Amino acid sequence: MKKIKTAFIYKKSNPYMSKTAWATTYYHFFMNALNRHSELEMSYFPAEKQFDASKLKDNFDIILLWENNSWGSPDELTGIEHLDTPVICRVNDAHDAKIMKKIPYHEKYKIDHYFGYLQEPYFHKYYPKNFKYKEIFYGVEPSLYDNLTSFSERIKNKILCSGASAQSNLLFRLKDIKRGERGLWKMYKLRTKCNELPYVDYTTTLQHEFINDKYPLLLMKYCASITAHSLYPVIKYWESTAAGCLTFMEVTEKNQANILGFKDNESAVFINEKNYESKLSEYISDPNNSKWKEIAQAGRLHTINNLTNDIAANSLVSLFKEYVTN
């Protein structure tokens, strides 16, 4: 079978394209999962301010871009306007599309299709309706979650919460309002509220030793973990479950985290602003109940079967095939 020749273009200084980045979720997907896919022939083109895309002519079936912005992709792709090669682009935060001036890159980079883990309605809330988009849930590298710490050997009287957070004080909230759609309180409201509980162990993104490929080891220290993002589901949702944690997962009509396929009280415990205290305290008051381990195991199984980098790579290849005929 003829492989799909794919040219992946990204900015050389992009920190996420290094194994030394604080988070290696992106690195493993683009550099490992895609590279080992049996239907892809990957070629990597790191560049900085400018990349001459004309040299790709007739040599590749797909051009894959890190993102539609010059932060992670080259500032300029010269010669791309003369190519007929389909351009597929990862999308990051959608709410900053106008602020970061991302929309003009649609024409500038000749983008045909976008993909990411944002829910489709959220993407099109900020991007034109005619921009094509596909949900792909990448980020969990299976090998990092092979050797799990036994559930019985983990911390059970505390619940882990990690990552960025807001602050509850009035001064911070007043300043945060000025950030508009990029406000931390909008994104991390429930996560911030959870952090105020005495039995929640909170650590920020960088204030611990478990960075790079070590983040799963932090998760495996705990029986239970909180994953909360008030606007859309993020990689922490499937990282936590992959690590075998009983995952308290913010799932609401607004963030549409139900698209991940987890089931409440079966493969995760769904929380929101109204029930989070009662849901978390139910676990803390009876951490030895066997049902918690059963939910954690079901969540891990769902993730390994549906939400790993290899599954995501299959989904991206299916998208490529919409533009490439072998």
Side-chain angles (χ1 to χ4, degrees):
M1 179 176 58
K2 181 183 176 183
K3 293 188 176 185
I4 300 173
K5 294 182 178 180
T6 304
F8 176 48
I9 304 171
Y10 60 98
K11 181 162 275 188
K12 188 176 182 179
S13 60
N14 181 345
Y16 290 108
M17 284 294 95
S18 166
K19 276 198 74 172
T20 61
W22 68 267
T24 54
T25 48
Y26 305 98
Y27 176 88
H28 285 302
F29 177 64
F30 285 103
M31 308 302 276
N32 293 340
L34 296 185
N35 201 38
R36 65 175 173 254
H37 197 283
S38 62
E39 296 183 68
L40 294 180
E41 183 179 314
M42 296 293 300
S43 296
Y44 295 88
F45 297 95
E48 200 61 34
K49 291 186 176 182
Q50 186 182 78
F51 178 78
D52 181 9
S54 63
K55 64 185 178 182
L56 304 179
K57 185 175 178 63
D58 300 327
N59 294 320
F60 293 92
D61 303 304
I62 291 286
I63 293 175
L64 178 63
L65 299 181
W66 162 262
E67 70 170 336
N68 55 331
N69 186 258
S70 60
W71 185 87
S73 295
D75 298 350
E76 186 178 3
L77 300 180
T78 59
I80 197 167
E81 68 275 10
H82 302 302
L83 300 182
D84 294 325
T85 310
V87 178
I88 310 298
C89 183
R90 184 194 75 98
V91 69
N92 198 29
D93 298 329
H95 52 264
D96 64 1
K98 289 186 177 180
I99 297 172
M100 299 297 290
K101 300 179 181 179
K102 293 180 177 180
I103 293 176
Y105 280 88
H106 183 76
E107 296 296 332
K108 187 176 179 179
Y109 287 168
K110 283 190 63 181
I111 298 170
D112 293 283
H113 216 119
Y114 298 86
F115 74 93
Y117 53 75
L118 303 173
Q119 68 272 38
E120 182 274 328
Y122 188 80
F123 171 81
H124 279 123
K125 179 180 178 180
Y126 299 99
Y127 284 90
K129 299 300 180 184
N130 64 315
F131 283 21
K132 296 178 181 180
Y133 176 78
K134 182 173 184 176
E135 298 163 356
I136 297 181
F137 305 104
Y138 58 86
V140 164
E141 184 66 6
S143 64
L144 299 181
Y145 298 85
D146 280 344
N147 301 311
L148 297 188
T149 301
S150 171
F151 200 76
S152 62
E153 297 175 359
R154 302 183 182 200
I155 297 169
K156 62 182 178 181
N157 61 345
K158 293 282 188 176
I159 303 173
L160 175 68
C161 188
S162 62
S165 181
Q167 297 178 29
S168 295
N169 66 77
L170 182 59
L171 180 60
F172 177 90
R173 294 185 64 176
L174 289 174
K175 290 181 178 179
D176 199 50
I177 290 174
K178 298 179 181 179
R179 293 172 58 90
E181 292 297 305
R182 304 172 74 192
L184 295 178
W185 191 254
K186 276 196 171 186
M187 291 187 282
Y188 306 122
K189 183 178 182 180
L190 182 56
R191 189 185 296 183
T192 303
K193 287 179 173 291
C194 288
N195 293 340
E196 297 170 352
L197 298 172
Y199 46 78
V200 172
D201 274 354
Y202 172 66
T203 175
T204 62
T205 303
L206 297 175
Q207 290 182 353
H208 55 73
E209 63 181 289
F210 299 99
I211 58 174
N212 316 127
D213 285 351
K214 296 180 181 179
Y215 182 62
L217 300 178
L218 174 63
L219 293 169
M220 292 178 205
K221 290 170 67 72
Y222 291 81
C223 288
S225 173
I226 296 166
T227 59
H229 195 291
S230 300
L231 301 181
Y232 46 83
V234 291
I235 294 176
K236 285 185 183 295
Y237 280 59
W238 45 106
E239 285 179 315
S240 176
T241 48
C245 294
L246 167 69
T247 303
F248 292 94
M249 185 179 291
E250 181 176 12
V251 180
T252 64
E253 184 176 347
K254 183 176 183 179
N255 77 358
Q256 295 188 338
N258 59 297
I259 63 175
L260 299 175
F262 293 100
K263 294 183 179 180
D264 190 21
N265 294 318
E266 292 184 23
S267 50
V269 178
F270 293 179
I271 58 173
N272 54 52
E273 290 181 38
K274 293 181 179 179
N275 70 14
Y276 75 98
E277 287 191 78
S278 62
K279 292 284 188 179
L280 296 174
S281 62
E282 181 185 358
Y283 163 76
I284 285 296
S285 65
D286 187 18
N288 294 314
N289 194 314
S290 62
K291 71 177 182 180
W292 305 128
K293 180 179 179 180
E294 293 171 2
I295 294 173
Q297 289 176 333
R300 170 174 163 78
L301 184 63
H302 175 76
T303 301
I304 296 303
N305 288 337
N306 299 282
L307 298 168
T308 66
N309 275 341
D310 292 315
I311 303 298
N314 287 338
S315 186
L316 186 59
V317 168
S318 295
L319 174 58
F320 288 175
K321 289 179 178 179
E322 294 179 21
Y323 292 90
V324 177
T325 55
N326 287 325

